[in-house]
């Protein structure tokens, strides 16, 4: 190959590679712009919910449910969230914690704290408020409604719920005793959402849930998405 042909080939390769980088960069910028647009359009209730969820997760940084620094926080979730009063000494005891799951108390507390009022069915069990929100959706009543995760995309401030342990709950069949877990959606990426939940890794913690290219949750154990339409 002569020099001119070599330069022409190298130039074409640069264009192809450069074009690929440009389109990848353009797609990334487009995604970030869409995320910013979504953030600007988040209702005030959901903004408060996200803000409070992140504050709670930050409080547990470096601590867990057995740390003296967090015992009063968990006590508050129980007391103000669902009306149960427990001693700090109990909360700091491993055997007590093993029999007192507080993730639903956390969700209940945070919904109270951000102003859900009488719209939310506060409970120490996730199944209680999930069932209530499903009934609301079926009868088209109330400001807090649950939808089937198979055909509903999560959004900022939604509560996403999954089956746990041996539960076989489905959107159309949730019993009062079903073992579930729910988290609050706080952030979006192109292929996952970030959620905050209580009693995750024995603390309030963040985790990631994969979503597909259309924005639906991939994990089939997530079967319900609760959405709030609470106007300030």
């Amino acid at each position: 190959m002569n020099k001119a042909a070599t330069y022409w080939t190298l130039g074409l390769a640069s264009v192809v590679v450069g074009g690929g980088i440009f389109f990848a960069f353009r797609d990334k910028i487009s995604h970030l712009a869409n995320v910013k647009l979504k953030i600007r359009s988040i209702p005030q209730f959901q903004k408060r919910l996200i803000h409070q969820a992140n504050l709670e997760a930050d409080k547990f940084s470096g601590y867990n449910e057995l740390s003296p620094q967090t015992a009063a926080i968990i006590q508050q979730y129980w007391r103000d969230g669902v009306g149960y009063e427990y001693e700090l000494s109990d909360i700091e005891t491993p055997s007590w914690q093993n029999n007192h799951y507080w993730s639903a108390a956390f969700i209940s507390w945070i919904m109270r704290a951000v102003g859900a009022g009488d719209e939310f069915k506060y409970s120490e069990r996730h199944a209680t408020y999930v069932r209530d929100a499903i009934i609301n959706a079926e009868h088209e009543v109330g400001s807090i409604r649950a939808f089937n995760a198979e055909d509903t995309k999560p959004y900022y401030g939604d509560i996403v719920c999954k089956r746990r342990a041996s539960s076989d709950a489905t959107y159309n069949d949730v019993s009062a005793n079903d073992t579930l877990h729910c988290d609050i959606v706080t952030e979006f990426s192109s292929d996952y959402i970030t959620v905050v939940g209580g009693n995750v890794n024995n603390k309030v913690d963040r985790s990631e849930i994969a979503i597909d290219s259309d924005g639906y949750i991939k994990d089939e154990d997530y079967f319900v998405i609760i959405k709030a339409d609470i106007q300030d």
Side-chain angles (χ1 to χ4, degrees):
M1 182 182 294
N2 60 35
K3 185 183 294 185
T6 299
Y7 286 149
W8 184 88
T9 302
L10 290 174
L12 179 61
S14 298
V15 169
V16 172
V17 172
I21 294 174
F22 167 77
F23 285 114
F25 183 72
R26 184 198 64 179
D27 291 344
K28 184 67 173 178
I29 292 297
S30 177
H31 169 68
L32 292 175
N34 287 335
V35 168
K36 289 181 179 179
L37 181 61
K38 284 183 177 180
I39 291 174
R40 285 198 298 270
S41 63
I42 300 173
Q44 288 302 314
F45 178 82
Q46 278 73 16
K47 286 181 179 179
R48 292 198 303 272
L49 190 55
I50 293 167
H51 176 71
Q52 194 66 50
N54 282 320
L55 279 180
E56 298 309 306
D58 291 342
K59 290 177 185 177
F60 279 79
S61 179
Y63 305 116
N64 62 34
E65 63 187 12
L66 298 176
S67 303
Q69 295 87 344
T70 60
I73 299 173
I74 297 174
Q75 183 185 55
Q76 183 183 34
Y77 297 157
W78 280 113
R79 182 184 63 242
D80 297 346
V82 295
Y84 291 175
E85 188 70 59
Y86 294 120
E87 297 295 328
L88 294 177
S89 57
D90 289 332
I91 293 172
E92 295 175 26
T93 304
S95 59
W96 188 92
Q97 285 288 359
N98 288 339
N99 292 294
H100 293 80
Y101 301 103
W102 49 272
S103 57
F106 166 74
I107 295 291
S108 292
W109 175 84
I110 203 167
M111 292 297 280
R112 281 193 196 276
V114 300
D118 295 335
E119 294 294 328
F120 191 76
K121 191 77 169 178
Y122 305 99
S123 175
E124 74 279 12
R125 298 188 67 88
H126 295 287
T128 301
Y129 65 76
V130 167
R131 292 176 71 196
D132 186 70
I134 290 174
I135 292 171
N136 284 351
E138 290 175 345
H139 293 87
E140 298 185 349
V141 298
S143 301
I144 297 176
R145 303 179 184 182
F147 302 91
N148 195 326
E150 290 183 359
D151 48 31
T152 303
K153 300 177 185 179
Y155 186 69
Y156 291 97
D158 285 352
I159 300 175
V160 294
C161 303
K162 68 176 180 179
R163 293 174 283 266
R164 287 185 60 250
S166 58
S167 172
D168 58 357
T170 66
Y171 181 80
N172 296 312
D173 185 13
V174 181
S175 72
N177 294 320
D178 270 317
T179 305
L180 310 177
H181 178 80
C182 301
D183 301 294
I184 298 164
V185 180
T186 58
E187 295 180 37
F188 269 81
S189 178
S190 57
D191 52 2
Y192 64 87
I193 55 175
T194 301
V195 298
V196 171
N199 217 162
V200 176
N201 301 319
N202 299 323
K203 62 198 301 184
V204 176
D205 207 1
R206 298 175 176 88
S207 53
E208 296 174 354
I209 303 172
I211 55 175
D212 63 23
S213 58
D214 293 319
Y216 295 96
I217 295 176
K218 287 184 175 181
D219 188 341
E220 293 182 356
D221 279 334
Y222 282 91
F223 69 102
V224 164
I225 297 177
I226 298 175
K227 296 179 178 287
D229 183 21
I230 295 176
Q231 306 299 320
D232 291 331

